[in-house]
Amino acid sequence: MFLIAPDLQHTLCTNMKYGPQYENFISSELRGICQNLFPISTDPACNWVAGVGTGGYGAVKLALKHPQVFTRAAALNGVLDLANICKKALQQKPTGIRHDRESLQAVFGDLNAVAGSGQNLFALAGPMAKSKFCFICDKAYAARPQQERLAAQLGPRAEQFFVKETAESGACQQSLPLAVHWLCKGERG
């Protein structure tokens, strides 16, 4: 197993309106670079993506939009409702993430358009989703309702796990091993 952890520099794994094209980079360029350097499988059944916080958003978005590349995605303490975060930013309210209105506009452009776009996980998710999804958080996690709503939309393609309430949100001592186990359980030999 190879674990590749690129720094996405607060781009939300998005082809930014005003900046790098990180969704393209992760879904095609980085994969190609790594497959040239290491004996990484080209079989999508063996290629997965995971992320913590807003990285969870990016991981789920990649698997929803690129199931031919990533067949499994895990979101650990995922921040999943970016449309709502953009709405807060437009109202000059705290977003709860390391983005404000200006930085979100650099990522998405028109923040009013995010809700119905391919940047909104809830607009992308549905019973036709091809990848499988794992959502992990503790029961007190503030974004838990987002996770539960998205998992319900994905239906049987999604599983949820809850870990004991600790200082888990930043450390992932419980959720990371659980995510790796979940990702590997579908591995083909």
Side-chain angles (χ1 to χ4, degrees), residues 1-158:
M1 174 183 287
F2 289 87
L3 176 65
I4 299 159
D7 180 0
L8 300 182
Q9 304 174 13
H10 300 290
T11 64
L12 302 170
C13 199
T14 298
N15 290 333
M16 295 179 67
K17 180 73 173 176
Y18 303 104
Q21 305 296 291
Y22 271 92
E23 183 179 327
N24 290 347
F25 175 69
I26 297 297
S27 65
S28 63
E29 293 177 49
L30 180 62
R31 193 181 98 207
I33 291 167
C34 293
Q35 287 171 338
N36 282 329
L37 294 173
F38 306 108
I40 296 174
S41 175
T42 57
D43 180 357
C46 297
N47 288 287
W48 316 311
V49 61
V52 178
T54 56
Y57 161 81
V60 172
K61 182 173 72 168
L62 283 168
L64 284 167
K65 292 176 77 174
H66 305 281
Q68 74 284 4
V69 177
F70 302 108
T71 57
R72 290 177 164 261
L76 291 66
N77 298 312
V79 175
L80 306 170
D81 192 351
L82 266 290
N84 188 48
I85 288 171
C86 289
K87 183 179 174 182
K88 287 179 184 178
L90 284 168
Q91 297 169 351
Q92 298 293 331
K93 293 180 179 176
T95 62
I97 62 173
R98 293 182 178 170
H99 280 283
D100 58 15
R101 184 178 71 189
E102 290 75 21
S103 64
L104 286 166
Q105 286 172 328
V107 174
F108 297 120
D110 180 5
L111 299 185
N112 289 306
V114 172
S117 75
Q119 305 301 341
N120 182 354
L121 301 182
F122 297 93
L124 293 169
M128 300 304 291
K130 294 180 181 175
S131 299
K132 292 184 179 180
F133 302 88
C134 171
F135 300 101
I136 303 170
C137 70
D138 69 47
K139 291 190 178 190
Y141 183 55
R144 180 179 170 199
Q146 299 171 20
Q147 173 180 300
E148 291 173 337
R149 185 167 56 112
L150 188 58
Q153 264 187 260
L154 290 164
R157 306 220 43 92

